């Protein structure tokens, strides 16, 4: 039910934007330029491909919408609380000083960065909206450092096509293409609304990605792997989402 609603929303949005002729053109361009998402196979594959190709062709260079400070939500809604595991609680009790973000895969220099290391990198603030596929959203200020800077520091290799990223929860992972990975709004987020990122919102570290639906903004980020072959991960569809009927690409 939820799945169908979102598919209609995304596919309908793309169709309304470019029209049927545009979808046919996008289909041809998608094939020519290989703009086929990892979940481009199967029953819903053509729809996923068209959505992804339309977004990449039409809006790759459109920045995320930013909001004035006056529009920051008074009561942001935390959809999920921290994983209540003993291991997480232990890290939290230590002020997250032992938290590490591991960066590996197709990089010249693998990294293991502490929250302190990340806070020492250039700071970027943005006031953007996070929207859940279930229909609610809120606006907040997110404070962090662009993912692109860390990827450059790690020396991401030219054959890299996707950035895979993992949450503290077992089995929860996502991936994005290089257009999103190098988007200046894609932020390794350590702060929210003038303070440290609270645990219910994904503290100590969250990947914020305002050009895609909320489920791509993974909380409790622990690990980033650059790859040239997404088929090596999970069931090969780019994230756990397609296994549950959700789109890998959730552009908004
Ligand atoms: N680690 C982790 N990240 C997650 C989730 C989660 O359950 N665990 N839920 C996702 C979903 S479905 C949404 S809509 C947003 C919700 O963000 P919020 O709690 O700040 O509202 O977080 C996303 N990131
Ligand atoms: Mo969500």
């Amino acid at each position: 039910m939820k799945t169908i609603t979102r598919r209609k929303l995304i596919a309908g949005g793309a169709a309304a934007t470019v029209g049927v002729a545009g979808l046919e053109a996008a289909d041809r361009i998608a094939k020519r330029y290989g703009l086929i998402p990892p979940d481009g196979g199967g029953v819903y594959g053509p729809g996923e491909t068209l959505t992804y190709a339309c977004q990449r062709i039409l809006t790759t260079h459109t920045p995320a919408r930013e909001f004035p400070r006056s529009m920051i939500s008074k009561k942001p809604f935390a959809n999920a609380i921290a994983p209540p595991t003993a291991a997480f609680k232990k890290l939290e009790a230590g002020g997250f000083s032992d938290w590490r973000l591991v960066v590996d895969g197709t990089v010249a220099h693998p990294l293991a960065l502490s929250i302190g290391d990340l806070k020492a990198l250039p700071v970027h603030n943005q006031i953007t909206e996070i929207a859940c596929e279930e229909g609610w959203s809120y606006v907040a200020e997110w404070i962090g450092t662009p993912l692109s800077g860390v990827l450059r520091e790690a020396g991401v290799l030219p054959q890299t096509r996707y950035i895979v990223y993992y949450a503290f929860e077992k089995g929860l992972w996502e991936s994005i293409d290089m257009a999103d990975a190098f988007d200046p709004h894609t932020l390794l987020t350590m702060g929210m609304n003038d303070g440290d990122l609270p645990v219910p919102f994904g503290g100590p570290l969250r990947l914020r990605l305002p050009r895609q639906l909320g489920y791509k903004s993974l909380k409790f980020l622990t690990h980033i792997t650059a790859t040239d072959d997404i088929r090596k991960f999970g069931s090969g569809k780019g994230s756990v989402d397609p296994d549950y009927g959700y789109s890998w690409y959730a552009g908004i």
Side-chain angles (χ1 to χ4, degrees):
M1 181 66 185
K2 220 164 71 183
T3 306
I4 288 164
T5 308
R6 201 174 72 203
R7 275 181 202 294
K8 272 193 182 151
L9 187 86
I10 296 168
T17 311
V18 297
V20 173
L23 283 174
E24 282 165 10
D27 187 33
R28 281 198 302 277
I29 295 168
K31 286 194 183 108
R32 191 182 318 153
Y33 293 103
L35 281 172
I36 310 230
D39 58 345
V43 185
Y44 294 111
E48 304 297 357
T49 300
L50 292 184
T51 302
Y52 178 60
C54 286
Q55 288 254 1
R56 279 288 166 266
I57 291 160
L58 294 172
T59 61
T60 294
H61 301 293
T62 311
R65 180 175 173 202
E66 294 197 52
F67 294 79
R69 197 159 289 278
S70 61
M71 284 188 69
I72 291 176
S73 304
K74 299 278 178 291
K75 284 190 182 153
F77 176 67
N79 188 32
I81 52 159
T85 62
F88 186 90
K89 289 221 170 84
K90 198 173 162 210
L91 286 159
E92 187 178 7
F96 294 117
S97 58
D98 290 335
W99 192 276
R100 290 293 177 276
L101 174 66
V102 171
V103 183
D104 59 15
T106 50
V107 297
H109 324 287
L111 305 169
L113 302 166
S114 68
I115 299 300
D117 294 335
L118 289 164
K119 283 186 172 174
L121 296 173
V123 178
H124 183 104
N125 299 28
Q126 64 187 33
I127 300 174
T128 56
E129 184 172 45
I130 179 159
C132 172
E133 78 288 355
E134 291 180 39
W136 49 266
S137 68
Y138 66 85
V139 172
E141 178 169 31
W142 310 91
I143 305 136
T145 197
L147 174 64
S148 60
V150 168
L151 293 178
R152 284 199 188 93
E153 194 177 317
V156 70
L157 299 173
Q159 68 266 32
T160 307
R161 292 199 54 210
Y162 296 96
I163 300 299
V164 176
Y165 51 107
Y166 299 86
F168 191 83
E169 295 115 302
K170 247 195 159 87
L172 188 50
W173 62 283
E174 290 284 349
S175 70
I176 49 176
D177 65 13
M178 301 315 278
D180 269 336
F182 280 96
D183 184 312
H185 277 108
T186 300
L187 219 58
L188 292 165
T189 303
M190 287 83 70
M192 181 179 165
N193 296 340
D194 304 326
D196 280 342
L197 182 65
V199 166
F201 293 95
L205 184 64
R206 175 178 205 174
L207 191 71
R208 260 300 281 145
L209 195 67
R211 290 291 314 281
Q212 293 205 47
L213 284 171
Y215 64 88
K216 302 294 283 193
S217 286
L218 221 51
K219 305 173 181 192
F220 322 120
L221 185 71
T222 56
H223 183 183
I224 287 174
T225 296
T227 185
D228 59 341
D229 187 1
I230 200 70
R231 290 168 304 182
K232 289 184 204 153
F233 296 82
S235 60
K237 299 192 187 83
S239 60
V240 284
D241 311 319
D243 295 337
Y244 296 100
Y246 294 87
S247 301
W248 167 79
Y249 185 72
I252 47 177

